[in-house]
Amino acid sequence: LISVKGITKIYQVGVQEIRAVAGVDLQVQNNEYLSIMGPSGSGKSTLMNILGCLDTPTSGSYSLNGEEVSGLRDDELAFIRNKEIGFVFQTFNLLPRASALQNVELPLIYGGVPSDERRERAGKALDSVGLADRASHRPSELSGGQRQRVAIARALVNNPSIILADEPTGNLDSSTGNEIMDIFKEIHSGGNTIIMVTHEEYIAEHSKRIVRLLDGLISSDKQVVNN
Amino acid sequence: LISVKGITKIYQVGVQEIRAVAGVDLQVQNNEYLSIMGPSGSGKSTLMNILGCLDTPTSGSYSLNGEEVSGLRDDELAFIRNKEIGFVFQTFNLLPRASALQNVELPLIYGGVPSDERRERAGKALDSVGLADRASHRPSELSGGQRQRVAIARALVNNPSIILADEPTGNLDSSTGNEIMDIFKEIHSGGNTIIMVTHEEYIAEHSKRIVRLLDGLISSDKQVVNN
Ligand SMILES: Nc1ncnc2c1ncn2[C@@H]1O[C@H](COP(=O)(O)OP(=O)(O)OP(=O)(O)O)[C@@H](O)[C@H]1O
Ligand SMILES: Nc1ncnc2c1ncn2[C@@H]1O[C@H](COP(=O)(O)OP(=O)(O)OP(=O)(O)O)[C@@H](O)[C@H]1O
Ligand SMILES: [Mg+2]
Ligand SMILES: [Mg+2]
């Protein structure tokens, strides 16, 4: 269970103050599948970074599985991130000098998984996103959508209980995007929680609940009725 | 007029040979507005890079305004690029240490435009994409969609005769995406040529012709009838 109350994130740039997240209350149950939508600049990635323990709020409280994470040390936050949360970044954040396979292995390296098992699990994750034949290629040798799929494989490889996916299909054609949604549906059926940001309504309708942000605040929060 | 015949681009990665563009013939008249669509990995960005003189084909010929550009030196290619072509990259390619305004000024700096004029024109270009109030911010202080809009402003600032836009709206909500399409329509009405890659059908339908790629080859080339 994720429970945030009164979360704000305020950036100070010179004399300008930007209220990226302006007071958000949000609860996400275990095994929920929700999408976050909203205009460019409305605070989606900022909120995702806070939910994923990659950033801390300016104010407000965040309880993850009953534990207040606002007060944790960096190493404790990193432990939770690596163990509980898989993240697909809007900008992919792949290591440019590592191969696709090595990029996907990363969460397993942090998790202390032995080399043979690591290689096998990373290979399977790449296969699940249709890139088994490109495992030895570096990000610069892959198309935009292929890089995105490597990022997705890396988020999935250690089967985290929570997947946070920021625009996971933005660079994918609709057929490949639907294939990724099938993977997410399977993960969700397995008990995991998925929170994704998307600009595409047809992608959001794969989830079960859509939360809309506007100027750093939640403007609506509705179940998806066709699904 | 752009005329390419028998264009191939073959990458060699270890023992693997990847035919990113496998034999493309394409003609684009002045003042045309066309979209290129196709699955992830089908060769769209590779073709765009060739059309934009950012890369050279493995084989084939490319005639730009009656001049065979295959045989030009790098400085001659760079001259054509800077003078004729504005490019929106799939990965934005913004300078991380420069402000939004400085990023947009870049084509004008290369073009030898004086400082005051440069600043004014860059400011107007940023205003046209709704980011006048963020001119002093660096890319890391901007959202994904805001960075994309800076990239679009930079492509437009010296009013190039050809705009090549690789996924210009992939990180934008549909409302902001439609605003960008309005800008492109205005540019097209002014006589410029636009070639854009997009995965979004509703974006492609703003153009007048859709070319579809599949496995490095053109699979269809049709006028858009509703527009
Ligand atoms: N520098 C490179 N070295 C090796 N292979 C490459 C390189 N650049 C692209 N490729 C490969 O060439 C093929 C076409 O790539 P391209 O980037 O043109 O695809 P795309 O249609 O733009 O895909 P997307 O929709 O995912 O952006 C892909 O299989 C890609 O992996
Ligand atoms: N590091 C930062 N410093 C200053 N301002 C920031 C920073 N990161 C984000 N912002 C600003 O905070 C606001 C929200 O940004 P955020 O990235 O959360 O938006 P978003 O909803 O993800 O947008 P997009 O759809 O464009 O990706 C924006 O105005 C953005 O410019
Ligand atoms: Mg974002
Ligand atoms: Mg591409």
Side-chain angles (χ1 to χ4, degrees), chain A residues 133-202:
Chain A
D133 61 334
R134 308 300 296 276
S136 60
H137 294 199
R138 294 187 183 186
S140 64
E141 298 161 329
L142 298 173
S143 77
Q146 288 165 340
R147 292 180 205 178
Q148 191 157 46
R149 288 186 270 154
V150 172
I152 290 165
R154 184 186 58 187
L156 302 177
V157 74
N158 66 359
N159 197 30
S161 58
I162 305 169
I163 308 280
L164 299 182
D166 198 346
E167 297 284 0
T169 60
N171 281 283
L172 303 180
D173 57 283
S174 57
S175 175
T176 307
N178 281 328
E179 289 173 13
I180 298 304
M181 287 303 98
D182 287 345
I183 294 171
F184 279 21
K185 182 175 179 181
E186 186 172 339
I187 289 165
H188 170 65
S189 299
N192 299 67
T193 305
I194 300 183
I195 303 174
M196 80 181 162
V197 169
T198 182
H199 286 300
E200 299 165 289
E201 295 276 349
Y202 84 98

Side-chain angles (χ1 to χ4, degrees), chain A residues 143-144, chain B residues 44-45 90 166:
Chain A
S143 77
Chain B
K44 302 177 301 292
S45 294
Q90 193 172 14
D166 197 348

Side-chain angles (χ1 to χ4, degrees), chain A residues 13 16 18 38-41 90-91 133-134 137 141 143-147 149 170-173 199, chain B residues 13 16 18 38-41 90-91 133-134 137 141 143-147 149 170-173 199:
Chain A
V13 185
Q16 221 167 350
I18 298 181
S40 178
Q90 195 172 11
T91 47
D133 61 334
R134 308 300 296 276
H137 294 199
E141 298 161 329
S143 77
Q146 288 165 340
R147 292 180 205 178
R149 288 186 270 154
N171 281 283
L172 303 180
D173 57 283
H199 286 300
Chain B
V13 184
Q16 219 166 354
I18 297 181
S40 176
Q90 193 172 14
T91 47
D133 60 334
R134 307 299 299 274
H137 293 199
E141 297 161 329
S143 76
Q146 288 164 342
R147 294 180 205 178
R149 288 186 270 156
N171 281 281
L172 304 180
D173 56 284
H199 286 299

